[in-house]
Amino acid sequence: MTPIKKISTTKKIKSTTLSEESRSLQELDHSQTESFHVMAKPAGARCNLSCSYCFYRSKDFRHQSANNFMSEQVLEKYVSQVIASEPTDQATIAWQGGEPTLLGVEFYRKAANLASKYLPRGKRIQWTMQTNGTLLNDDWCDFFRQNGYLVGISLDGPQEVHDAYRKDSQGNGTFVEVIHAIELLKKHEVDFNVLCCVHSANGNMGLGVYRFLRDNVGSRYIQFIPVVEHAMGNRRLSQTCDLVTSRSVQPMQWGQFLIDVFDEWVHNDVGEVFVLIFDWALASWLGLESPACIFQRKCGRALVLEQNGDIYSCDHFVNQENLIGNIQTQLLVKILSSKKQSKFGARKENLPIYCEKCNFRFACNGECPKNRFTSTFTGEPGPNYLCAGYKRFFAHIDKSMQIMACLVSLGRPVEEIMNIRC
């Protein structure tokens, strides 16, 4: 993985007053404000696990001492500003890590109380948390249920593939603890989804992993994320992909994984199981902008808030170059609309001719810039490492997506595709 520069936060932070914030927020023209997402990391990069492929483990923050979690001051800034700045009638408060449950449930009760203080009539909050699940108990799950949380659980499939890379600090697998956490969530009737990383250990098991998550775990919302670890810093890769880590999923392996899952889903589970990448694809085939930043023409609407108030352009670009402000000294919406962030988002549009001529440019848009470290056969820099896999996947689902898009345009349920031979 690319080394991350150490970040210094030795300067003292002068905080603005709430009255100053209130006046500034009242002056905002929300008709000119797009919806956005802020992923808060109240524990920073700290985690009770030691997953081999975790890209956030490499973040080296000088300000992260053993007891340095998000302060109540930063918490209040985050909650109040997200509520005030969100132009729609639903604000999302999202917790991730590191491992957010390290702070204990009381921290999140304080967040809920703050939300009640700032939430205006007619606006609601969607609370979300992504967790490894190993610290969950009845108290946590009761809190989630009472506050309407959507909880994401990290689970990579059956035990043998989950435990390959998702280990605790002692090197032990975590599968048993994660399954226990899911049973607790079910017991308390907490909405949950599964985030499944696809890597070398499960990359050839698309159908088996999907059926396990659907049948054994009972998940009805699933997100698959490819593990891509660039092993050689800023060196560009050839098409042979020799310079990614052994844990990384290979491009065609990723494409076939998605195809295997899609074929099972499109024949049996449409309308019952929701696989996010299929929903995102359907949006593209309908001529809409993808809900996922990785498939949008521009990015820059999904920020990261570290526990000391620092805000970064993206979860995958938490480094000094992409530090764009601090919520204790600047308004969140002003940081979001800054020239520096606008330039960051616009860079996603810089694609090679190879991509511009692709039949599936509308669905892919070059995917995430973090994976654009290969070169074409002619030496043109910029294609995505996973390009070949995505092209194979998009070509495979094209006919089915056209049918589903037609069903939607006719006002008919997309589940009807299960009765149509594609």
Side-chain angles (χ1 to χ4, degrees):
M1 298 181 71
T2 305
I4 303 298
K5 296 179 181 178
K6 293 183 177 181
I7 298 169
S8 175
T9 56
T10 55
K11 294 182 180 180
K12 291 184 178 181
I13 297 174
K14 180 181 177 181
S15 179
T16 58
T17 66
L18 285 175
S19 59
E20 289 171 336
E21 280 188 11
S22 298
R23 286 196 298 270
S24 297
L25 289 169
Q26 288 173 359
E27 294 171 358
L28 291 175
D29 181 3
H30 282 246
S31 66
Q32 302 300 316
T33 306
E34 297 178 54
S35 188
F36 62 95
H37 182 76
V38 180
M39 184 187 301
K41 297 176 179 282
R46 284 184 298 279
C47 185
N48 61 318
L49 302 189
S50 186
C51 301
S52 304
Y53 55 62
C54 179
F55 69 91
Y56 224 71
R57 285 200 307 159
S58 68
K59 310 302 179 187
D60 188 3
F61 298 105
R62 290 180 177 177
H63 58 264
Q64 291 194 356
S65 62
N67 298 313
N68 188 11
F69 294 125
M70 182 177 284
S71 68
E72 290 186 25
Q73 181 185 34
V74 174
L75 173 63
E76 185 162 8
K77 296 283 187 181
Y78 171 52
V79 172
S80 63
Q81 290 196 34
V82 167
I83 290 173
S85 302
E86 174 55 52
T88 70
D89 61 1
Q90 178 173 293
T92 297
I93 304 291
W95 310 108
Q96 205 179 62
E99 176 48 45
T101 59
L102 287 174
L103 283 82
V105 71
E106 273 307 311
F107 175 85
Y108 299 96
R109 289 195 175 102
K110 292 176 183 176
N113 291 334
L114 285 169
S116 298
K117 174 182 175 182
Y118 289 102
L119 197 64
R121 183 177 299 176
K123 182 172 280 191
R124 62 187 185 278
I125 290 183
Q126 172 64 72
W127 299 94
T128 72
M129 179 182 288
Q130 183 64 41
T131 173
N132 60 47
T134 60
L135 300 179
L136 297 188
N137 54 28
D138 285 309
D139 191 27
W140 269 110
C141 293
D142 183 58
F143 167 78
F144 290 148
R145 173 63 177 170
Q146 290 182 17
N147 290 274
Y149 262 73
L150 172 61
V151 177
I153 292 285
S154 298
L155 177 63
D156 289 356
Q159 185 165 7
E160 64 272 19
V161 294
H162 174 89
D163 285 348
Y165 299 131
R166 298 195 63 81
K167 301 179 184 294
D168 63 20
S169 58
Q170 304 302 313
N172 301 310
T174 59
F175 177 84
V176 174
E177 290 86 350
V178 175
I179 294 299
H180 176 65
I182 290 173
E183 293 305 315
L184 284 174
L185 292 169
K186 291 180 181 178
K187 170 186 170 183
H188 289 268
E189 298 182 330
V190 177
D191 289 336
F192 75 95
N193 58 32
V194 168
L195 187 153
C196 177
C197 289
V198 181
H199 40 71
S200 59
N202 63 4
N204 294 326
M205 300 172 57
L207 182 57
V209 168
Y210 174 70
R211 286 178 172 173
F212 173 81
L213 297 178
R214 180 193 64 190
D215 301 336
N216 298 69
V217 177
S219 179
R220 291 298 175 263
Y221 294 86
I222 303 170
Q223 181 177 3
F224 294 112
I225 295 182
V227 172
V228 177
E229 296 178 309
H230 190 187
M232 299 298 290
N234 291 323
R235 281 186 59 187
R236 290 198 172 274
L237 301 184
S238 68
Q239 290 288 338
T240 59
C241 306
D242 294 330
L243 303 180
V244 294
T245 67
S246 61
R247 292 183 292 264
S248 300
V249 67
Q250 294 294 308
M252 296 303 283
Q253 188 181 35
W254 169 239
Q256 191 60 50
F257 184 100
L258 294 177
I259 288 170
D260 291 345
V261 174
F262 182 83
D263 286 349
E264 174 77 1
W265 174 82
V266 79
H267 289 109
N268 302 292
D269 300 324
V270 180
E272 293 293 329
V273 180
F274 300 88
V275 181
L276 291 188
I277 193 168
F278 303 159
D279 286 351
W280 299 339
L282 181 56
S284 297
W285 260 263
L286 284 166
L288 305 174
E289 182 175 59
S290 173
C293 62
I294 61 171
F295 294 133
Q296 293 171 359
R297 280 185 171 268
K298 293 183 180 181
C299 56
R301 310 298 299 179
L303 308 180
V304 167
L305 171 67
E306 274 293 333
Q307 90 278 18
N308 70 333
D310 282 344
I311 294 182
Y312 295 86
S313 295
C314 170
D315 191 32
H316 291 283
F317 293 88
V318 176
N319 50 40
Q320 190 65 45
E321 180 184 354
N322 293 293
L323 172 60
I324 56 174
N326 188 290
I327 202 170
Q328 296 191 75
T329 59
Q330 299 160 273
L331 290 174
L332 179 59
V333 71
K334 297 295 186 182
I335 297 172
L336 183 70
S337 60
S338 66
K339 289 183 178 179
K340 186 173 183 179
Q341 184 62 4
S342 296
K343 288 181 179 179
F344 174 87
R347 284 201 297 268
K348 190 176 188 297
E349 292 188 289
N350 296 331
L351 294 172
I353 296 174
Y354 180 83
C355 294
E356 295 287 0
K357 293 182 177 180
C358 178
N359 291 335
F360 301 109
R361 157 70 193 269
F362 73 97
C364 175
N365 287 309
E367 208 245 22
C368 184
K370 78 179 181 69
N371 293 330
R372 295 181 187 175
F373 49 76
T374 67
S375 298
T376 65
F377 291 108
T378 61
E380 187 182 15
N384 195 288
Y385 163 77
L386 297 169
C387 174
Y390 276 121
K391 288 183 74 172
R392 182 174 181 180
F393 168 63
F394 288 138
H396 182 82
I397 68 173
D398 181 43
K399 185 176 180 180
S400 295
M401 284 294 162
Q402 289 186 45
I403 293 171
M404 284 192 283
C406 182
L407 289 171
V408 171
S409 67
L410 294 173
R412 293 163 62 181
V414 291
E415 295 94 301
E416 290 185 14
I417 192 173
M418 292 187 287
N419 301 319
I420 301 172
R421 287 187 176 272
C422 297

